[in-house]
Amino acid sequence: MGRYIVRRLLISIPLLLVISFLTFILINLSPHDPAELVLQAQEVPVITEELLVQTREELGLDQPFLVQYIEWAVACLRLDFGESYVTGKPVWSILGPAFFNTLKLTLVSVAVIVLLSIALGVICALREGRLVDKSVRGISFFLTSMPSYWLAALMIWYFSVKLDLLPTSGMDSLASYVLPVIVIAISYAGIYFRFVRSAMISNLNEDYVLYGRACGLPEKKITKHILKNSLQVSVSVFCMAIPIILGSTVVVENVFAWPGLGSLSVKSILSRDFPMIQAYVLVLAVAFVLFNTLSDIINAVINPKLRNDL
Amino acid sequence: MNILDVKNLKIWDGSTGRTIVPDSSFQLKQGTCLAIVGESGSGKSVTCRSIMRLNKGSICQSGDILFQGENLSLLSEQEMRRKRGKNLCMILQNGMRAFDPSCKLGVHLKETLDQHFSWSKQAFTDHMAKAMESVMLRSPVELMNKYPHQLSGGMLQRVMIALAIALEPDIIIADEPTTALDTISQFEVVEQFIRLREVMGCSMIFISHDLGVVRKIADDVLVMKDGEIVERGTTQAIFTEARHEYTRYLVSSKLALSQHFANVMGGIALADR
Ligand SMILES: Nc1ncnc2c1ncn2[C@@H]1O[C@H](COP(=O)(O)OP(=O)(O)OP(=O)(O)O)[C@@H](O)[C@H]1O
Ligand SMILES: [Mg+2]
């Protein structure tokens, strides 16, 4: 098992290199001259040729491409993503706090999503075709088909304005988490519980369930076996939900004025703050690789057969 | 003395209303082996699962199933569960699929035995190791530390037999326990079944497609076709003086196959000497 983990981690290193390289050239491929952008962003009134050359030198843009990449990549390892074109402050000093704000929101949401999906999936699978199963599926279909800004607005109107129970926006207290988490959790758990449900149902027909029952095991223990085997598909889905939500909180963050990545990324894109965009893309890409690795490792723990594959 | 007496068993699919077994009655005598043969889809597995009351939710059953004079049909689910494993034990066709793939065999076996006995860890290992050795599984402790996929189908089949030995049930129901195996493993597993009966003296219901195996192991035979029992009798009688046309067809069509099986078994028996 230890060997599997080490090998799986080693495999993700080349992937990280490729991703960082792609992120780097993506920005460099854009038609804008970074030096010009910096000067524009700093609102320098007259941009002379001289000034451009000087700025390029400051940014290290006169060096060979590969050298630029390596220097950039090494700096990134120390969380030094350069300075924002707009404010001139280090990128991480702005991106870091926003990242952690979104991460907090994401982790709480994913925890709720996992619990809700498993609970609903198990209940529906054990009552397949009965009223509970049908109504849960119907309601979840209805809720997931609503756009999240609409759901969010509805929630704010009801819980914050009408009942005055929860804050409408910001992240001042634990109570501020409730509404954004509910909005995010509904749209994901409403889909993910179906994975748990269908995996449980197909496992219910497995021979080991019949054999376990024939050996006199109580239903509770049987359900535990079924759940453990059913979670294999869902573990990947749950793990990948973390980077996916990290990268897609724009709407919710804007509605609830959550000072996170979503709002920051939109602002950076609109003001063409390239180092910020670059760091944002890189952080998300790394998150995808890391959580993908994590899901593989968890799957190998659950399913011993997979350990031989690497 | 009948250990199991099935009376007017009717099985139907509750969702479509289709009758699977219209009206079936048969007896299992104490200490004997009853074979059920018949073509695919004739209702053999459904019949056996209904004795254990383990058919899928959509399948309904009615009729009396008397086990040692007690009507299993009237027991609560809780009481029935206590009978499973301890009194009535099943051995399935496909050993590869009968164990939770994410669980070490030992964990699985211990969980089952803990359900029925209050043995210490040491007592469990001793009992199980002895049972496994008796079905020719070598280094049982090592095997118990393995996952199901690390063993062959024949080995897993014998693990199931070993578990049955440790559980000491009154009736063992084996649903095509040899069908998924190659001929050589088949031979070994059949030998273990014969030993199992000799050693434990338990009663057995043995479903099989293979008349060669049936002839070797069974005392009585039921022949099923489309859910109905078309012929019953002692093994001897079925093989020599079958009355029903279908049975004669089965015997003649399986003769070629069982001849082959007998050859292989004979070959091994010779090699063993
Ligand atoms: N879960 C189920 N739902 C509906 N019908 C079923 C179900 N399981 C079995 N049946 C029906 O019951 C009949 C008997 O099936 P069964 O599995 O008992 O046959 P069998 O004699 O064991 O066949 P085989 O030799 O292939 O194992 C079949 O016609 C099948 O269609
Ligand atoms: Mg069958």
Side-chain angles (χ1 to χ4, degrees):
Chain A
M1 190 64 220
R3 270 180 50 210
Y4 175 87
I5 295 177
V6 171
R7 274 183 294 180
R8 187 62 192 80
L9 287 175
L10 285 180
I11 285 181
S12 52
I13 290 176
L15 202 56
L16 285 172
L17 281 177
V18 172
I19 283 175
S20 67
F21 190 71
L22 286 179
T23 317
F24 184 72
I25 56 174
L26 203 70
I27 302 294
N28 279 271
L29 282 179
S30 81
H32 305 282
D33 179 357
E36 204 176 325
L37 281 176
V38 173
L39 294 173
Q40 275 170 3
Q42 290 170 352
E43 294 177 347
V44 176
V46 195
I47 300 172
T48 60
E49 193 56 38
E50 214 173 300
L51 210 52
L52 278 174
V53 172
Q54 193 192 334
T55 318
R56 273 190 208 120
E57 228 166 82
E58 273 170 26
L59 294 172
L61 293 173
D62 51 347
Q63 290 182 13
F65 186 70
L66 212 59
V67 176
Q68 281 186 44
Y69 165 68
I70 292 171
E71 279 181 358
W72 173 80
V74 170
C76 284
L77 284 178
R78 298 191 310 258
L79 294 179
D80 172 9
F81 300 100
E83 274 129 38
S84 159
Y85 286 175
V86 179
T87 58
K89 284 191 205 153
V91 167
W92 189 246
S93 72
I94 303 164
L95 191 74
F99 172 75
F100 285 112
N101 285 343
T102 300
L103 187 67
K104 276 187 259 176
L105 180 63
T106 304
L107 290 182
V108 176
S109 305
V110 169
V112 174
I113 289 169
V114 169
L115 292 179
L116 212 60
S117 307
I118 292 181
L120 291 177
V122 171
I123 291 171
C124 286
L126 295 182
R127 305 263 187 290
E128 189 198 349
R130 312 253 194 90
L131 187 65
V132 186
D133 180 31
K134 282 183 184 154
S135 33
V136 168
R137 280 190 293 155
I139 293 170
S140 74
F141 181 74
F142 176 70
L143 286 176
T144 46
S145 55
M146 281 206 262
S148 53
Y149 60 86
W150 163 246
L151 202 61
L154 222 64
M155 295 263 187
I156 292 180
W157 170 74
Y158 191 74
F159 291 105
S160 307
V161 180
K162 197 142 180 281
L163 298 180
D164 197 20
L165 282 174
L166 297 162
T168 51
S169 64
M171 54 170 292
D172 315 311
S173 64
L174 281 180
S176 339
Y177 279 87
V178 177
L179 289 184
V181 165
I182 289 179
V183 171
I184 296 175
I186 281 179
S187 51
Y188 286 86
I191 296 167
Y192 289 178
F193 92 94
R194 283 160 204 271
F195 293 116
V196 180
R197 177 183 172 275
S198 62
M200 288 274 295
I201 287 174
S202 74
N203 265 285
L204 266 171
N205 291 319
E206 288 287 327
D207 279 358
Y208 73 83
V209 176
L210 177 65
Y211 187 55
R213 285 184 181 147
C215 287
L217 290 185
E219 263 332 273
K220 228 203 268 157
K221 291 210 170 129
I222 305 255
T223 309
K224 230 167 57 194
H225 284 287
I226 300 176
L227 189 61
K228 193 173 169 204
N229 284 288
S230 309
L231 283 186
Q232 272 172 44
V233 188
S234 322
V235 161
S236 319
V237 176
F238 290 148
C239 280
M240 292 321 280
I242 296 176
I244 290 174
I245 297 176
L246 269 182
S248 60
T249 47
V250 184
V251 174
V252 172
E253 285 188 6
N254 273 313
V255 175
F256 291 102
W258 195 269
L261 276 186
S263 349
L264 183 67
S265 64
V266 173
K267 218 162 39 185
S268 310
I269 291 168
L270 291 180
S271 60
R272 297 214 186 105
D273 194 346
F274 277 36
M276 197 69 98
I277 300 171
Q278 207 169 29
Y280 170 75
V281 172
L282 188 67
V283 165
L284 275 188
V286 169
F288 268 94
V289 174
L290 287 187
F291 283 102
N292 190 18
T293 309
L294 182 70
S295 89
D296 278 2
I297 291 175
I298 297 178
N299 264 326
V301 172
I302 300 181
N303 184 352
K305 258 189 249 184
L306 294 176
R307 287 175 214 164
N308 306 331
D309 286 358
L310 217 66
Chain B
M1 218 283 292
N2 292 332
I3 187 164
L4 189 76
D5 195 347
V6 177
K7 288 180 186 162
N8 306 106
L9 177 67
K10 180 179 179 197
I11 307 170
W12 70 98
D13 185 343
S15 53
T16 60
R18 192 173 75 94
T19 305
I20 299 170
V21 171
D23 182 9
S24 192
S25 301
F26 58 91
Q27 293 80 33
L28 174 65
K29 290 199 236 24
Q30 174 77 48
T32 65
C33 175
L34 173 71
I36 304 182
V37 299
E39 64 191 353
S40 197
S42 57
K44 307 183 294 290
S45 302
V46 173
T47 301
C48 284
R49 275 186 238 129
S50 63
I51 296 171
M52 305 280 289
R53 293 201 3 214
L54 276 179
N55 272 312
K56 300 265 159 52
S58 63
I59 298 199
C60 314
Q61 65 185 77
S62 71
D64 298 328
I65 299 162
L66 301 173
F67 166 72
Q68 294 176 333
E70 190 177 9
N71 195 342
L72 297 183
S73 307
L74 303 178
L75 295 185
S76 72
E77 183 52 37
Q78 184 83 13
E79 290 166 321
M80 189 61 214
R81 185 168 62 66
R82 268 189 235 116
K83 291 256 181 287
R84 294 186 196 125
K86 190 80 206 76
N87 299 112
L88 300 147
C89 184
M90 247 178 132
I91 290 173
L92 302 185
Q93 171 175 3
N94 197 334
M96 294 286 207
R97 296 214 309 252
F99 297 93
D100 177 351
S102 66
C103 212
K104 284 184 182 167
L105 276 174
V107 176
H108 205 287
L109 298 173
K110 180 147 179 21
E111 189 180 35
T112 305
L113 289 171
D114 279 351
Q115 201 61 45
H116 303 287
F117 305 97
S118 36
W119 287 340
S120 67
K121 183 119 184 48
Q122 191 56 44
F124 157 75
T125 314
D126 292 346
H127 272 98
M128 204 59 226
K130 206 166 133 240
M132 284 167 84
E133 269 160 5
S134 74
V135 290
M136 315 302 272
L137 286 167
R138 279 168 207 96
S139 43
V141 179
E142 207 173 290
L143 286 184
M144 281 191 261
N145 258 320
K146 294 206 170 186
Y147 289 96
H149 73 272
Q150 296 171 312
L151 271 62
S152 72
M155 288 168 97
L156 290 169
Q157 205 74 45
R158 279 181 280 160
V159 173
M160 276 198 265
I161 300 175
L163 181 57
I165 292 175
L167 283 167
E168 296 183 329
D170 303 294
I171 299 179
I172 291 181
I173 298 175
D175 189 350
E176 303 193 28
T178 57
T179 313
L181 305 175
D182 59 82
T183 320
I184 293 184
S185 317
Q186 238 177 44
F187 168 72
E188 289 171 354
V189 168
V190 169
E191 287 294 295
Q192 293 316 322
F193 268 102
I194 294 169
R195 286 273 318 284
L196 182 67
R197 285 197 49 213
E198 284 167 2
V199 176
M200 298 180 49
C202 68
S203 321
M204 192 186 295
I205 296 180
F206 194 97
I207 302 182
S208 183
H209 274 124
D210 199 322
L211 293 189
V213 174
V214 168
R215 194 169 193 169
K216 227 169 131 54
I217 202 168
D219 303 302
D220 298 289
V221 180
L222 291 182
V223 182
M224 286 188 73
K225 187 176 193 297
D226 301 329
E228 291 187 62
I229 299 173
V230 294
E231 179 135 16
R232 62 182 84 208
T234 61
T235 311
Q236 184 67 27
I238 292 284
F239 275 90
T240 52
E241 49 200 74
R243 281 181 301 271
H244 198 280
E245 185 191 343
Y246 178 66
T247 314
R248 281 202 292 273
Y249 163 72
L250 270 186
V251 171
S252 65
S253 67
K254 289 289 162 64
L255 217 56
L257 267 175
S258 46
Q259 195 57 49
H260 167 70
F261 184 75
N263 286 344
V264 176
M265 292 216 304
I268 290 174
L270 279 179
D272 270 358
R273 268 177 216 142

